[in-house]
mmCIF file of all heavy atoms in Angstrom:
data_model
loop_
_atom_site.group_PDB
_atom_site.id
_atom_site.type_symbol
_atom_site.label_atom_id
_atom_site.label_comp_id
_atom_site.label_asym_id
_atom_site.label_seq_id
_atom_site.Cartn_x
_atom_site.Cartn_y
_atom_site.Cartn_z
ATOM 1 N N ARG A 248 31.800 18.140 4.268
ATOM 2 C CA ARG A 248 30.957 17.123 3.642
ATOM 3 C C ARG A 248 29.556 17.177 4.248
ATOM 4 O O ARG A 248 29.370 17.596 5.401
ATOM 5 C CB ARG A 248 31.565 15.735 3.835
ATOM 6 C CG ARG A 248 32.962 15.605 3.231
ATOM 7 C CD ARG A 248 33.491 14.202 3.389
ATOM 8 N NE ARG A 248 32.748 13.248 2.576
ATOM 9 C CZ ARG A 248 33.007 12.979 1.299
ATOM 10 N NH1 ARG A 248 33.986 13.652 0.671
ATOM 11 N NH2 ARG A 248 32.319 12.100 0.635
ATOM 12 N N PRO A 249 28.560 16.743 3.502
ATOM 13 C CA PRO A 249 27.178 16.871 3.994
ATOM 14 C C PRO A 249 26.870 15.858 5.100
ATOM 15 O O PRO A 249 27.424 14.765 5.146
ATOM 16 C CB PRO A 249 26.343 16.587 2.737
ATOM 17 C CG PRO A 249 27.200 15.687 1.915
ATOM 18 C CD PRO A 249 28.613 16.145 2.156
ATOM 19 N N ILE A 250 25.982 16.263 5.975
ATOM 20 C CA ILE A 250 25.415 15.380 6.990
ATOM 21 C C ILE A 250 23.913 15.610 7.008
ATOM 22 O O ILE A 250 23.423 16.679 6.608
ATOM 23 C CB ILE A 250 26.006 15.631 8.385
ATOM 24 C CG1 ILE A 250 25.755 17.076 8.813
ATOM 25 C CG2 ILE A 250 27.472 15.260 8.452
ATOM 26 C CD1 ILE A 250 26.103 17.346 10.263
ATOM 27 N N LEU A 251 23.190 14.608 7.458
ATOM 28 C CA LEU A 251 21.728 14.706 7.576
ATOM 29 C C LEU A 251 21.383 14.679 9.057
ATOM 30 O O LEU A 251 21.629 13.684 9.751
ATOM 31 C CB LEU A 251 21.040 13.558 6.846
ATOM 32 C CG LEU A 251 19.501 13.566 6.913
ATOM 33 C CD1 LEU A 251 18.948 14.761 6.132
ATOM 34 C CD2 LEU A 251 18.913 12.266 6.365
ATOM 35 N N ALA A 252 20.839 15.805 9.560
ATOM 36 C CA ALA A 252 20.374 15.870 10.948
ATOM 37 C C ALA A 252 18.933 15.378 10.986
ATOM 38 O O ALA A 252 18.054 15.911 10.298
ATOM 39 C CB ALA A 252 20.478 17.289 11.481
ATOM 40 N N LEU A 253 18.700 14.344 11.790
ATOM 41 C CA LEU A 253 17.403 13.666 11.841
ATOM 42 C C LEU A 253 16.895 13.689 13.274
ATOM 43 O O LEU A 253 17.574 13.212 14.191
ATOM 44 C CB LEU A 253 17.548 12.217 11.351
ATOM 45 C CG LEU A 253 16.286 11.362 11.258
ATOM 46 C CD1 LEU A 253 15.371 11.886 10.161
ATOM 47 C CD2 LEU A 253 16.657 9.904 10.983
ATOM 48 N N ALA A 254 15.726 14.286 13.500
ATOM 49 C CA ALA A 254 15.095 14.327 14.820
ATOM 50 C C ALA A 254 13.856 13.441 14.803
ATOM 51 O O ALA A 254 13.053 13.508 13.861
ATOM 52 C CB ALA A 254 14.730 15.756 15.213
ATOM 53 N N LEU A 255 13.695 12.624 15.853
ATOM 54 C CA LEU A 255 12.604 11.653 15.929
ATOM 55 C C LEU A 255 11.796 11.891 17.192
ATOM 56 O O LEU A 255 12.339 12.264 18.233
ATOM 57 C CB LEU A 255 13.161 10.222 15.916
ATOM 58 C CG LEU A 255 14.087 9.871 14.747
ATOM 59 C CD1 LEU A 255 14.662 8.479 14.930
ATOM 60 C CD2 LEU A 255 13.341 9.980 13.416
ATOM 61 N N ARG A 256 10.501 11.615 17.127
ATOM 62 C CA ARG A 256 9.593 11.853 18.252
ATOM 63 C C ARG A 256 8.582 10.714 18.329
ATOM 64 O O ARG A 256 8.041 10.279 17.313
ATOM 65 C CB ARG A 256 8.866 13.190 18.068
ATOM 66 C CG ARG A 256 7.849 13.526 19.163
ATOM 67 C CD ARG A 256 7.135 14.821 18.826
ATOM 68 N NE ARG A 256 6.072 15.117 19.772
ATOM 69 C CZ ARG A 256 6.223 15.903 20.855
ATOM 70 N NH1 ARG A 256 7.385 16.474 21.086
ATOM 71 N NH2 ARG A 256 5.201 16.120 21.672
ATOM 72 N N GLY A 257 8.344 10.244 19.547
ATOM 73 C CA GLY A 257 7.364 9.191 19.757
ATOM 74 C C GLY A 257 7.508 8.579 21.137
ATOM 75 O O GLY A 257 8.494 8.807 21.845
ATOM 76 N N VAL A 258 6.538 7.786 21.528
ATOM 77 C CA VAL A 258 6.594 7.078 22.807
ATOM 78 C C VAL A 258 7.699 6.025 22.735
ATOM 79 O O VAL A 258 7.762 5.243 21.781
ATOM 80 C CB VAL A 258 5.233 6.425 23.120
ATOM 81 C CG1 VAL A 258 5.304 5.633 24.421
ATOM 82 C CG2 VAL A 258 4.142 7.485 23.198
ATOM 83 N N ASN A 259 8.592 6.059 23.721
ATOM 84 C CA ASN A 259 9.746 5.141 23.764
ATOM 85 C C ASN A 259 10.631 5.287 22.522
ATOM 86 O O ASN A 259 11.222 4.308 22.048
ATOM 87 C CB ASN A 259 9.303 3.684 23.909
ATOM 88 C CG ASN A 259 8.520 3.442 25.181
ATOM 89 O OD1 ASN A 259 8.827 4.002 26.227
ATOM 90 N ND2 ASN A 259 7.498 2.600 25.096
ATOM 91 N N ALA A 260 10.730 6.515 21.997
ATOM 92 C CA ALA A 260 11.465 6.727 20.747
ATOM 93 C C ALA A 260 12.937 6.369 20.894
ATOM 94 O O ALA A 260 13.544 5.835 19.959
ATOM 95 C CB ALA A 260 11.302 8.172 20.288
#
Side-chain angles (χ1 to χ4, degrees):
R248 300 183 68 86
I250 59 171
L251 180 67
L253 183 68
L255 306 175
R256 178 184 175 94
V258 177
N259 299 322

